[in-house]
């Protein structure tokens, strides 16, 4: 018996309350270990998904989700993407022993399984990458603010204002961010896969269940947090797709239009989901911002461009104009409008 079997069993007791931190904490710590502890945890967790008790299965799913969210995400997903030890497909497919599986638990298992499978295909987790990119941006803004303060301070104050050992992200991670990925590097493929993950998440409608149940609230809280980050990733991917649309080949543009049409439908589902979550903020304790996303009224214009008999000629002209404009910026050519504006500004001084 591994040292984690008792911990996992206690974390998944058939009581309708979330797993206690004294059981969760060593499980989370194990995800950072390099001595095979993740294998032991998952091996101990696996039988919980085959228990003839929906509460045990629900708590096992919550434990797994917590491991992915709060633990070493890459370590957990890398291990699970190379092993089918948990057999989540059986849970999501309703293959439960002796009783009918609750639909939301099936959907929850499918979401977590989809996240594992997307990691296997993408070699990274879209939610973690987006979250770390957001942290980078906040850190950058913080350092800029520190810099403004430092300019009016002594050298010693400046040194104190700069956090020592500030965390940095690798260029590889930043390069995978959907906002800056190129079509050649797999923008369309990755955006579609992240959309698939979003589809799986919004099916987990725990807000339709008993909101007095602590397990339901615990799962919904984590799902809402995932959704806020995941939709941002999808939104940035779609914005990037739209920015490249008029220089894509006809085949790529067809895929891009399919992605955009699907995004328009997804945006409706996400707005509905987060609208409910906003009403439940006192229960979830998750701030829901006003949702901003790419426009959803461009289908007609994009279709017209795609179906134009002169598609290839239009594409060539667009690329030529874009290359010319980019070359002008690179060579430092002055913008006539800016120059004119600057001239009048100088005369007013």
């Amino acid at each position: 018996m591994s040292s984690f079997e008792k911990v996992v069993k206690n974390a998944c007791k058939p009581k309708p309350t979330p797993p206690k931190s004294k059981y969760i904490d060593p499980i989370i710590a194990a995800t950072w270990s390099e001595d095979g502890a993740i294998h032991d945890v998952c091996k101990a967790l696996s039988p919980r998904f085959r228990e003839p008790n929906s509460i045990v299965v629900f708590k096992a799913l919550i434990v797994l989700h917590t491991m992915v969210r709060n633990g070493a995400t890459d370590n957990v997903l890398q291990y699970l993407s190379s092993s089918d030890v948990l057999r989540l497909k059986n849970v999501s497919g309703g293959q439960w022993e002796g009783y009918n599986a609750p639909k939301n638990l099936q959907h929850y298992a499918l979401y977590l399984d989809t996240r594992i499978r997307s990691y296997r295909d993408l070699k990274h987790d879209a939610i973690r990458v987006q979250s770390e990119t957001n942290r980078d941006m906040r850190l950058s803004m913080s350092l800029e603010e520190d810099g403004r303060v430092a300019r009016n301070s002594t050298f010693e104050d400046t040194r104190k204002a700069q956090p020592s050992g500030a965390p940095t992200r690798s260029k590889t991670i930043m390069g995978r961010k959907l906002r800056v990925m190129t079509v050649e590097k797999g923008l369309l493929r990755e955006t579609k896969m992240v959309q698939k993950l979003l589809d799986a998440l919004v099916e987990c409608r725990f807000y339709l269940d008993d909101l007095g149940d602590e397990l339901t609230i615990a799962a919904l809280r984590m799902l809402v947090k995932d959704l806020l980050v995941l939709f941002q990733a999808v939104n940035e991917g779609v914005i990037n797709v739209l920015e490249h649309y008029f220089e894509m080949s006809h085949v790529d543009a067809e895929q891009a239009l399919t992605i955009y049409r699907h995004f328009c439908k997804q945006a409706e589902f996400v707005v509905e989901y987060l609208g409910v979550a906003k009403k439940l903020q006192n229960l979830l304790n998750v701030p829901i911002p006003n949702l901003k996303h790419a426009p959803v009224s461009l289908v007609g214009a994009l279709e017209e461009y795609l179906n134009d008999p002169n598609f290839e000629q239009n594409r060539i002209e667009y690329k030529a104009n874009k290359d010319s404009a980019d070359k002008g910026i690179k060579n430092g050519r002055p913008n006539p409008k800016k120059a004119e504006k600057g001239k009048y500004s100088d005369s007013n001084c």
Side-chain angles (χ1 to χ4, degrees):
M1 177 182 291
S2 77
S3 59
F4 290 103
E5 286 190 23
K6 186 176 181 180
V7 173
V8 170
K9 187 175 181 178
N10 285 331
C12 301
K13 288 178 180 177
K15 297 179 180 179
T17 55
K20 295 180 179 179
S21 59
K22 66 179 180 179
Y23 303 131
I24 287 292
D25 289 347
I27 292 174
I28 296 300
T31 67
W32 298 94
S33 175
E34 296 182 358
D35 61 0
I38 290 180
H39 170 76
D40 293 338
V41 170
C42 292
K43 187 176 179 181
L45 195 59
S46 180
R48 310 282 86 80
F49 293 116
R50 298 193 295 274
E51 285 278 341
N53 186 314
S54 62
I55 292 177
V56 174
V57 177
F58 197 178
K59 292 179 80 167
L61 291 169
I62 287 175
V63 168
L64 175 59
H65 196 176
T66 305
M67 288 169 62
V68 174
R69 276 195 57 81
N70 300 343
T73 304
D74 280 328
N75 290 347
V76 176
L77 294 178
Q78 185 174 17
Y79 173 76
L80 291 176
S81 65
S82 62
S83 169
D84 194 27
V85 63
L86 299 184
R87 299 181 182 177
L88 290 177
K89 274 291 185 182
N90 292 345
V91 181
S92 62
Q95 298 174 25
W96 295 35
E97 297 181 7
Y99 64 105
N100 294 326
K103 281 294 180 183
N104 269 339
L105 292 195
Q106 291 184 57
H107 292 314
Y108 195 18
L110 180 60
Y111 164 64
L112 294 173
D113 188 59
T114 303
R115 191 163 175 182
I116 292 167
R117 290 172 183 273
S118 69
Y119 185 92
R120 181 189 62 194
D121 294 334
L122 297 176
K123 307 306 180 189
H124 65 271
D125 179 57
I127 294 175
R128 185 190 65 79
V129 169
Q130 185 65 47
S131 296
E132 293 199 342
T133 299
N134 292 343
R135 290 191 199 110
D136 285 341
M137 292 177 66
R138 288 195 295 269
L139 176 62
S140 176
M141 292 172 66
S142 175
L143 290 176
E144 286 178 9
E145 186 63 33
D146 285 343
R148 296 190 193 100
V149 173
R151 281 193 288 272
N152 298 318
S153 307
T154 65
F155 174 79
E156 183 64 21
D157 290 336
T158 303
R159 186 181 64 80
K160 290 179 180 178
Q162 300 294 333
S164 61
T168 58
R169 310 296 176 197
S170 71
K171 292 181 180 179
T172 303
I173 291 176
M174 290 297 291
R176 285 172 176 161
K177 184 167 174 275
L178 284 173
R179 186 65 184 86
V180 297
M181 180 177 285
T182 63
V183 177
E184 292 76 18
K185 292 292 184 180
L187 172 62
L188 299 177
R189 173 179 172 271
E190 182 154 338
T191 302
K192 283 191 290 186
M193 295 189 69
V194 178
Q195 282 186 317
K196 183 178 180 180
L197 184 56
L198 181 58
D199 285 337
L201 192 155
V202 295
E203 286 298 318
C204 303
R205 299 186 178 95
F206 283 109
Y207 54 78
L208 298 177
D209 289 351
D210 179 12
L211 296 178
D213 179 63
E214 293 181 57
L215 291 177
T216 297
I217 293 299
L220 184 57
R221 182 182 293 116
M222 289 192 288
L223 287 165
V224 169
K225 289 180 179 180
D226 283 359
L227 179 59
L228 288 169
V229 177
L230 186 57
F231 184 67
Q232 183 185 4
V234 170
N235 182 54
E236 292 190 347
V238 168
I239 290 173
N240 198 7
V241 167
L242 291 174
E243 288 179 352
H244 287 87
Y245 184 75
F246 297 102
E247 57 189 272
M248 292 180 189
S249 67
H250 198 277
V251 172
D252 286 346
E254 286 179 325
Q255 289 189 54
L257 182 56
T258 300
I259 288 171
Y260 179 71
R261 282 201 188 101
H262 191 53
F263 171 78
C264 295
K265 294 178 182 177
Q266 285 188 315
E268 293 180 17
F269 295 138
V270 172
V271 167
E272 177 189 353
Y273 202 113
L274 293 180
V276 175
K278 200 163 192 173
K279 295 177 182 177
L280 301 174
Q281 282 188 97
N282 60 324
L283 288 174
L284 299 176
N285 196 28
V286 178
I288 308 297
N290 293 326
L291 200 62
K292 295 180 180 180
H293 55 76
V296 293
S297 56
L298 305 177
V299 173
L302 298 179
E303 282 182 339
E304 183 179 354
Y305 168 80
L306 184 64
N307 297 328
D308 192 317
N310 298 318
F311 173 88
E312 190 60 26
Q313 180 181 343
N314 294 335
R315 185 176 80 93
I316 293 172
E317 290 179 359
Y318 174 84
K319 288 191 68 175
N321 291 335
K322 184 174 181 293
D323 291 344
S324 178
D326 291 344
K327 187 179 294 185
I329 294 173
K330 186 175 181 180
N331 292 335
R333 291 179 191 165
N335 185 315
K337 291 185 178 180
K338 286 186 178 180
E340 187 176 359
K341 182 179 179 181
K343 179 181 69 175
Y344 288 118
S345 296
D346 291 340
S347 64
N348 291 333
C349 290

